[in-house]
Amino acid sequence: MLVAETETPRQSPSALPRSSQPLSHLRLLEAESIHILREVASEFERPVMLYSIGKDSSVMLRLAQKAFYPAPIPFPLLHIDTGFKFAEMLAFRDEMARQVGAKLLVWRNEPAIAAGTNPMVLDTKRCCALLKTQALLDALRHYNFDAAFGGARRDEEKSRAKERIYSFRDAAGQWDPKNQRPELWNLYNARIHSGESIRVFPLSNWTEMDVWQYIHEEKIPVVDLYFAKERPMYVRGDALMPIEQSFVALPGERPQMVKCRLRSLGCSPCTGAMRSDADTIPAIIAELISFRSSERANRVIDHDQEGSMEIKKREGYF
Amino acid sequence: MAAATASSFSIDEFLERERQKDLLRFSTAGSVDDGKSTLIGRLLYDTQSVYEDQVRSIEGKGTTAPGQIDFALLTDGLRAEREQGITIDVAYRYFSTARRKFIIADTPGHEQYTRNMATGASTADAAVVLIDASKGVLIQSRRHAYIASLLRVRHILAAVNKMDLVGYDEGAFRAIKADFSAVLDQIAADTGTPAEVHFVPVSALAGDNVVHRSAAMPWYAGPTLLELLESLPSAQQTHTAPLRLADKDPSAGTPALHPTDKDPSAGTPALHPTDKDPSVGTPAFRFPVQRVLRPNHAFRGFAGQIASGSIRPGDSITVLPSGRHAKVKRIVTWDGDLDEASAPLSVTLVLDREIDISRGDLMVASDAQATVARSIKAALVWMDQRPLDLGRRYLLKHTSQTAPAFLAAIDYRTGLAALDHVPAQTLRMNDIGAVSLNLLRPIALDVYAENRSTGAFILIDPESNATAAAGMITAAFSDPGAAADDAADAWGRVTAGEREARWGHRGGVIEISGPLKLIDSIERSLFAVGAVTSRIEADDDAFLLHPSLLEIVSGIAARSGLLALVVRADEDVTLAARAEGVEITVGAADSIQAVAAVHQLLHRTGIFISSEKADL
Ligand SMILES: Nc1nc2c(ncn2[C@@H]2O[C@H](COP(=O)(O)OP(=O)(O)OP(=O)(O)O)[C@@H](O)[C@H]2O)c(=O)[nH]1
Ligand SMILES: [Mg+2]
């Protein structure tokens, strides 16, 4: 289901001040991101945009529409489906691709999914390696993509804070954080040998607050799971676990109705909900101001080992 | 529900205030262990910009005394960094105050990673240069200050750190201030970038004069580091306004930053945030074309980011290097047409007439043209393990284009200790010098001192693809003769290299079969990107009679450096193309895609040598 405060007609004048000086910080970030999107589309032979359905992907997709308007987005979207995405997310994904008129590719690591890979049996680290990293590398190789856009932001996590806008990956898709190419001004080095690729992060300089403000100003649709409402949840201490496929309840455990929402969307077994009353975007922004912990604090995957995000990225994760 | 979340707080007011905020980018600089990362961590912590889980994750770790948080761990995000206790690569951090948003680039001080410091400084409007009060100005402090000056980072905030180690002694601060001021003056004289510098005594570890005023240094009444950062001119002014000359007269009665905070140690001109230098006119319009947007026959627009100046419909522009003129008809964006747009907006321009424009061209205001040059002088910061090799071909990436370039001469290397100019045969990693370059085709540019976008370039090693150097153009010569004299004997046979240099591609044969109209479009598109082609109809009677003739004729063309198009028209629904043993087949229905595929084939087989893809 699409949730937007109003319908989003193309060319609706946005709330941000335009043409008058000085430019707001969101306009500056937007201009930088559009420049990056256009550079990549013009310098690589086969770019693709990773579309993960979350708020950052929604912003990135809107920026792509803006970058090439009135021409269509000149690259396909790719979703890596782990099989553990919330059902609402998949419906939203298909509807967005249809609205935008972009070609959507979906890739799943079918052998691993068929083998019953899940984070309860394996640990989260190995589950991610198979269902996300391996699937991503397979998809990139299968389609021979030489550049892939991702919606990651540097403010999300401290190893992401270290990454270039053009993140060079070797033929095995791996990141070498100690040997990154210098990246000066807005002159990006797009040269690669065959088999190598570049991950591109047009939202590098956006913060979580910027993203929500932009969604608000631009009336960008986002998945309903971001908004608070009464949902059946298993309550374990402070943690709220959504009922989705694969959830294993303890003996005697029953779901309760809790008013809650998700701050960041991942796979259902590894993404906890939080109690919240924020059911509009301004309310989400107000809540964000009051937060004392980071947005990925609800993601099990970043915490199971010191520096675990960096390790995953070295192995080829986004 | 918003009301329930925050009763006294109005979200609408908050959003309105956010809309007014501008953006300032700054980077750190200074020698290894001077406390850059600690300072940034402290700044974030004291402005409540770090989340509790992030603080918890670093408690009890790092190099500091028990019970004291090692703030450097907030930015040193790589495992190797935490293990070695040094910064290896730039960390980008974000925070905002009531007045503005900040993007911080915390850079490494270690000499080995100087290229990463340059990465962080290249997009910065201000640099916070740290000096360890217990060590004074080191060679690496000079190197970083020099690079920041070369990059024309406008404002230097010199933070004399670790004041706690020298007993918060005013004398120590003053000595370093005098010392570093002299160094900065010397650097400014060498680079031609006037320095606007402010000194602050701080302790990053204890938090003195970072966000909160220090009780330990009553002798310093000037602004804290954060107050300075909040009052510098904004990012956008840096984008749109040319770098202005600093007011070098310390006696001038410039108004102080904070009315009550007269720095008794001042000699530095005070800042005046809202000040606009009246002597500076509007900067000239510069618009590098990134991409041609042609969704249908009725629309042809040129997409790019305005590098400087502003534009309105009706304005006259000139396209360089071709020199053709046109008027701007529309400024198109997804949000509707604009009646004016200025740097650094990304827009799409539609012109009043059809002229040949492609990616890499520069649109400029007709009354303020840029230089078209094949021969330039530039300051270089060398960044590659492999030292500079005179006479070798590099790829020079400038705005949205890439041109092959030869390094004709090293004019000098800058000696950092004495800031002198030393003759040199090469530049090694982290060396700084001045060079002369010859480009294989002319590009439109400005000198870096006048324009930070159209005066900057990087050099790429075409073999390793490494980013080998950062370059800042200091002079440009439009004389085309200068480029020709390096390789060839003036009266000898014309070499393949010379043809390659002039035409931008190697000789080769490409066989194409498919619908006639599509073949014509391909030939036209190759012509448009400057390829020199020779069209050979394979079904010509002469070749039917003597089949071996076809190969002979196309071979002669290829050896003459031409791109031989051996074409066979048929009414197939696919287009087949073959070059250098690589064959592709694409659907003929989407002609744009088919044409693009042929260009890609020429790139992939190395017949096209530039890294640019023809824009379609
Ligand atoms: N006493 C004292 N120690 C400090 C201060 N600031 C930093 N340090 C210590 O100096 C050491 C180096 O600090 P860092 O912040 O890592 O230095 P850096 O400049 O970021 O180092 P690189 O990034 O590797 O160049 C650490 O042990 C800090 O705790 C200070 O104000 N006073
Ligand atoms: Mg550091």
Side-chain angles (χ1 to χ4, degrees):
Chain A
M1 183 182 78
L2 291 182
V3 177
E5 284 164 289
T6 58
E7 256 311 300
T8 310
R10 188 180 261 202
Q11 300 217 28
S12 71
S14 85
L16 292 178
R18 281 188 291 111
S19 90
S20 61
Q21 316 227 341
L23 292 169
S24 75
H25 71 278
L26 287 180
R27 281 276 167 245
L28 297 172
L29 291 172
E30 176 188 69
E32 176 183 78
S33 301
I34 290 176
H35 173 261
I36 296 164
L37 287 157
R38 288 169 169 173
E39 278 302 289
V40 173
S42 306
E43 291 214 311
F44 288 88
E45 291 183 9
R46 295 180 64 82
V48 67
M49 176 172 281
L50 269 285
Y51 179 70
S52 75
I53 315 173
K55 61 186 189 306
D56 306 308
S57 283
S58 298
V59 166
M60 186 162 64
L61 189 56
R62 169 63 57 88
L63 291 166
Q65 285 181 285
K66 290 195 175 196
F68 304 102
Y69 176 82
I73 298 175
F75 38 75
L77 309 180
L78 171 65
H79 178 230
I80 301 297
D81 183 7
T82 59
F84 287 112
K85 297 297 172 187
F86 294 88
E88 299 179 59
M89 290 171 69
L90 301 183
F92 180 89
R93 173 195 72 191
D94 296 342
E95 176 59 17
M96 269 324 276
R98 195 189 58 74
Q99 274 194 13
V100 169
K103 180 173 176 183
L104 173 70
L105 307 170
V106 176
W107 189 275
R108 294 154 56 100
N109 184 349
E110 293 294 1
I113 291 172
T117 303
N118 78 53
M120 283 70 74
V121 177
L122 295 179
D123 52 46
T124 55
K125 193 179 136 211
R126 278 189 290 162
C127 184
C128 268
L130 284 168
L131 297 184
K132 288 189 180 171
T133 308
Q134 190 58 49
L136 173 65
L137 296 175
D138 289 348
L140 297 180
R141 199 168 310 122
H142 175 85
Y143 291 106
N144 205 10
F145 291 128
D146 53 1
F149 293 106
R153 292 174 286 105
R154 285 168 174 158
D155 90 324
E156 273 177 74
E157 200 275 337
K158 60 186 171 184
S159 68
R160 289 215 201 274
K162 292 270 161 183
E163 200 162 10
R164 299 280 188 260
I165 289 173
Y166 274 37
S167 180
F168 176 84
R169 302 301 173 100
D170 65 15
Q174 301 182 58
W175 182 50
D176 181 0
K178 282 174 71 178
N179 200 17
Q180 301 192 82
R181 285 179 178 175
E183 191 166 83
L184 291 117
W185 301 287
N186 59 358
L187 297 174
Y188 304 107
N189 180 349
R191 302 267 307 182
I192 50 172
H193 291 117
S194 86
E196 296 168 346
S197 62
I198 305 271
R199 305 279 171 86
V200 184
F201 302 107
L203 303 186
S204 286
N205 287 323
W206 295 59
T207 64
E208 188 183 13
M209 180 62 97
D210 296 329
V211 164
W212 279 116
Q213 285 181 14
Y214 194 71
I215 287 171
H216 179 62
E217 306 284 6
E218 298 278 323
K219 304 183 172 60
I220 297 173
V222 291
V223 186
D224 196 33
L225 289 162
Y226 283 117
F227 298 98
K229 70 178 190 197
E230 299 279 345
R231 294 186 169 90
M233 288 279 156
Y234 287 97
V235 181
R236 290 184 186 166
D238 283 345
L240 302 178
M241 323 286 278
I243 310 176
E244 285 282 327
Q245 72 277 43
S246 86
F247 180 80
V248 187
L250 300 174
E253 201 177 17
R254 303 218 164 279
Q256 315 167 13
M257 292 304 283
V258 182
K259 187 152 192 194
C260 62
R261 67 181 201 88
L262 296 184
R263 186 172 174 195
S264 129
L265 297 185
C267 295
S268 55
C270 293
T271 306
M274 54 185 254
R275 290 175 196 273
S276 167
D277 284 325
D279 54 4
T280 64
I281 292 171
I284 288 174
I285 293 172
E287 196 180 74
L288 200 54
I289 301 167
S290 69
F291 278 157
R292 298 306 307 146
S293 54
S294 67
E295 75 189 287
R296 297 188 74 94
N298 70 330
R299 298 271 198 109
V300 182
I301 57 170
D302 300 346
H303 306 294
D304 46 7
Q305 191 182 345
E306 164 75 356
S308 60
M309 175 63 88
E310 179 184 342
I311 296 169
K312 287 200 299 173
K313 290 177 86 67
R314 283 163 173 273
E315 289 165 354
Y317 185 74
F318 245 89
Chain B
M1 276 304 134
T5 317
S7 44
S8 64
F9 164 88
S10 152
I11 186 67
D12 293 332
E13 270 173 37
F14 171 80
L15 290 171
E16 192 43 46
R17 256 184 288 121
E18 288 287 294
R19 274 179 213 121
Q20 308 300 327
K21 279 189 191 172
D22 66 2
L23 189 64
L24 185 91
R25 299 186 189 227
F26 71 93
S27 62
T28 61
S31 194
V32 68
D33 274 354
D34 281 354
K36 297 176 288 299
S37 302
T38 307
L39 181 75
I40 296 310
R42 168 59 79 179
L43 189 61
L44 295 171
Y45 186 80
D46 283 0
T47 53
Q48 276 106 49
S49 312
V50 275
Y51 288 120
E52 280 165 1
D53 59 312
Q54 293 167 337
V55 175
R56 267 198 308 279
S57 73
I58 61 165
E59 267 165 359
K61 297 183 182 157
T63 61
T64 47
Q68 192 158 35
I69 297 175
D70 185 349
F71 288 107
L73 297 179
L74 284 174
T75 61
D76 286 342
L78 299 177
R79 281 152 62 92
E81 294 179 326
R82 294 192 291 274
E83 280 156 24
Q84 297 170 42
I86 61 164
T87 305
I88 291 172
D89 210 330
V90 196
Y92 291 92
R93 298 295 309 230
Y94 306 83
F95 81 108
S96 105
T97 64
R99 297 185 60 172
R100 61 168 38 147
K101 299 229 169 191
F102 293 93
I103 299 181
I104 311 173
D106 179 34
T107 75
H110 197 292
E111 185 186 345
Q112 190 184 340
Y113 306 117
T114 301
R115 59 181 187 274
N116 298 335
M117 176 272 171
T119 291
S122 68
T123 50
D125 309 301
V128 177
V129 184
L130 274 82
I131 298 157
D132 184 332
S134 64
K135 292 189 186 146
V137 180
L138 304 174
I139 186 82
Q140 191 65 355
S141 330
R142 300 168 77 98
R143 189 191 311 270
H144 278 188
Y146 195 92
I147 292 172
S149 177
L150 269 187
L151 290 167
R152 297 187 85 86
V153 178
R154 292 177 73 178
H155 303 281
I156 302 289
L157 305 184
V160 179
N161 188 33
K162 307 198 186 180
M163 287 302 294
D164 55 307
L165 291 185
V166 295
Y168 295 105
D169 175 40
E170 182 178 4
F173 172 68
R174 286 180 165 283
I176 287 174
K177 180 173 172 176
D179 199 11
F180 196 52
S181 296
V183 170
L184 290 175
D185 282 346
Q186 235 186 324
I187 289 174
D190 196 57
T191 62
T193 311
E196 281 185 44
V197 57
H198 299 266
F199 283 85
V200 203
V202 300
S203 168
L205 201 62
D208 295 287
N209 289 337
V210 180
V211 172
H212 305 298
R213 189 136 314 194
S214 170
M217 290 177 275
W219 47 265
Y220 176 78
T224 62
L225 185 70
L226 181 63
E227 286 168 337
L228 281 168
L229 287 167
E230 283 197 305
S231 50
L232 293 175
S234 79
Q236 209 197 338
Q237 284 167 289
T238 312
H239 260 292
T240 44
L243 302 144
R244 80 189 147 127
L245 291 177
D247 180 359
K248 289 299 280 182
D249 180 8
S251 65
T254 24
L257 185 57
H258 298 276
T260 52
D261 300 334
K262 284 266 184 237
D263 180 357
S265 63
T268 45
L271 282 179
H272 196 37
T274 53
D275 208 19
K276 275 220 173 141
D277 190 334
S279 70
V280 175
T282 348
F285 174 70
R286 298 287 185 261
F287 184 76
V289 175
Q290 278 186 280
R291 192 175 172 85
V292 182
L293 297 177
R294 213 175 308 166
N296 53 53
H297 292 298
F299 187 93
R300 185 158 173 263
F302 305 99
Q305 183 174 20
I306 302 173
S308 60
S310 59
I311 191 82
R312 295 168 150 274
D315 286 356
S316 295
I317 57 102
T318 301
V319 180
L320 298 175
S322 74
R324 293 193 183 88
H325 302 282
K327 281 197 164 77
V328 174
K329 197 162 103 188
R330 294 173 57 196
I331 304 171
V332 176
T333 75
W334 195 85
D335 299 294
D337 281 14
L338 304 182
D339 48 21
E340 182 175 12
S342 50
L345 274 190
S346 288
V347 294
T348 296
L349 300 181
V350 175
L351 303 180
D352 68 339
R353 71 200 73 162
E354 285 274 321
I355 53 177
D356 180 18
I357 300 174
S358 52
R359 174 172 166 81
D361 285 347
L362 184 70
M363 284 191 202
V364 303
S366 292
D367 56 4
Q369 297 221 359
T371 311
V372 175
R374 297 180 64 139
S375 201
I376 59 174
K377 282 190 180 293
L380 279 194
V381 179
W382 198 258
M383 302 180 152
D384 198 11
Q385 293 282 353
R386 183 169 171 177
L388 179 159
D389 200 346
L390 274 183
R392 222 177 125 224
R393 188 169 68 94
Y394 292 91
L395 296 172
L396 181 143
K397 183 159 190 187
H398 169 265
T399 63
S400 52
Q401 65 186 323
T402 306
F406 287 99
L407 279 152
I410 299 176
D411 300 334
Y412 57 83
R413 185 174 61 78
T414 302
L416 285 164
L419 287 175
D420 53 355
H421 297 172
V422 189
Q425 294 307 306
T426 186
L427 294 178
R428 294 178 199 288
M429 191 158 89
N430 305 326
D431 279 350
I432 299 164
V435 298
S436 303
L437 287 142
N438 290 330
L439 304 170
L440 296 189
R441 55 186 167 75
I443 62 171
L445 51 84
D446 294 294
V447 298
Y448 188 78
E450 279 163 21
N451 196 307
R452 225 175 150 182
S453 294
T454 51
F457 63 87
I458 56 171
L459 291 180
I460 299 170
D461 183 318
E463 282 167 31
S464 67
N465 291 337
T467 304
M472 288 132 282
I473 299 167
T474 50
F477 311 95
S478 38
D479 172 22
D485 62 17
D486 51 58
D489 173 356
W491 297 103
R493 181 184 295 195
V494 177
T495 64
E498 286 169 280
R499 292 198 187 95
E500 196 177 305
R502 175 168 299 176
W503 296 336
H505 61 80
R506 295 196 292 111
V509 181
I510 179 165
E511 295 172 49
I512 305 174
S513 53
L516 181 62
K517 255 189 77 191
L518 185 50
I519 290 175
D520 292 346
S521 310
I522 290 169
E523 186 186 14
R524 166 69 48 191
S525 71
L526 292 170
F527 183 73
V529 299
V532 185
T533 56
S534 166
R535 177 166 170 155
I536 302 168
E537 305 282 352
D539 296 326
D540 193 295
D541 289 347
F543 301 131
L544 296 177
L545 287 170
H546 308 283
S548 60
L549 204 55
L550 180 58
E551 204 176 315
I552 295 170
V553 170
S554 53
I556 291 172
R559 279 193 300 282
S560 311
L562 303 174
L563 180 53
L565 304 180
V566 178
V567 304
R568 281 188 187 80
D570 59 33
E571 284 317 311
D572 208 334
V573 293
T574 59
L575 177 101
R578 189 155 68 118
E580 314 268 20
V582 183
E583 187 157 4
I584 57 164
T585 309
V586 287
D590 185 346
S591 59
I592 292 193
Q593 210 182 334
V595 170
V598 170
H599 282 247
Q600 284 165 12
L601 176 66
L602 290 166
H603 279 283
R604 202 173 327 145
T605 52
I607 292 174
F608 279 3
I609 48 175
S610 90
S611 72
E612 281 170 78
K613 198 168 87 182
D615 223 275
L616 293 158

